[in-house]
Amino acid sequence: MLSLLGPVTLAIIITAAVTLIIALVAIIMTFSLRKRMREFENAYVSLQTLLSGTPIEDLLKENLNEVSNLKQMLNNHSSRLVLIENKLRSGVDRAELIRFNSFKNMGADLSFTLALLNQEKTGVVLTGIHSVEECRIYAKHIEKGQAKVKLSPEEKQAIEKASTNNIIV
């Protein structure tokens, strides 16, 4: 039967058969690839929506907004904290009270010196001198542990103790 067909016809039949086989393989591969593509799309959609059903892109945008808001809040708090620290540094946080007898004829330590200083050793020293007739109170400004006026030994002692203490009033 093959001898009845000419060599050209036989070549055409073989070419057609090979083309048909290639076409069938291409169709099978196309269906296989479409099936895999659908599985990939389903996996991609499930990845995008997570378990909550919210798309991951929306969650990421929301998180970026929250991070931005938190950064802004941090900057606001940082600037407020600097102001608070400056106020705290200048506020009185060290105190020392020294009691003493200012006159030999007095029976008790009724006189006192009170040093009120901040972290920079700046503040005031209050001294109360008690006698039989009266009580006088003196205030002296202290700048960085030093006074512009003469200090009594008790005032110097109160300033020194208050400067070394970390007692918060």
Side-chain angles (χ1 to χ4, degrees), residues 47-166:
L47 175 67
Q48 289 291 316
T49 57
L50 297 174
L51 296 176
S52 66
T54 306
I56 196 166
E57 186 176 348
D58 293 344
L59 290 173
L60 289 174
K61 285 180 182 176
E62 184 178 321
N63 282 346
L64 285 174
N65 287 337
E66 285 182 31
V67 167
S68 175
N69 290 341
L70 288 173
K71 281 182 182 179
Q72 186 177 10
M73 285 176 57
L74 178 65
N75 290 337
N76 291 342
H77 290 312
S78 294
S79 63
R80 289 179 61 201
L81 185 60
V82 167
L83 294 173
I84 291 170
E85 286 175 343
N86 289 338
K87 276 189 173 184
L88 183 62
R89 196 173 298 116
S90 64
V92 172
D93 64 350
R94 289 165 172 76
E96 186 65 36
L97 177 68
I98 304 290
R99 294 179 57 113
F100 61 95
N101 188 356
S102 58
F103 301 104
K104 297 207 186 305
N105 61 352
M106 299 293 290
D109 290 341
L110 298 176
S111 297
F112 68 91
T113 295
L114 176 63
L116 301 170
L117 304 175
N118 63 15
Q119 293 176 6
E120 297 165 350
K121 299 179 185 178
T122 299
V124 66
V125 173
L126 300 174
T127 301
I129 306 293
H130 184 75
S131 69
V132 176
E133 296 89 24
E134 62 188 359
C135 179
R136 292 186 181 213
I137 297 178
Y138 302 94
K140 296 178 183 174
H141 179 70
I142 306 299
E143 185 74 35
K144 298 186 182 189
Q146 302 295 317
K148 293 183 179 178
V149 294
K150 184 177 180 192
L151 296 174
S152 70
E154 293 84 5
E155 290 169 332
K156 290 177 184 176
Q157 181 184 8
I159 292 169
E160 181 62 32
K161 282 187 175 184
S163 296
T164 58
N165 285 348
N166 287 328

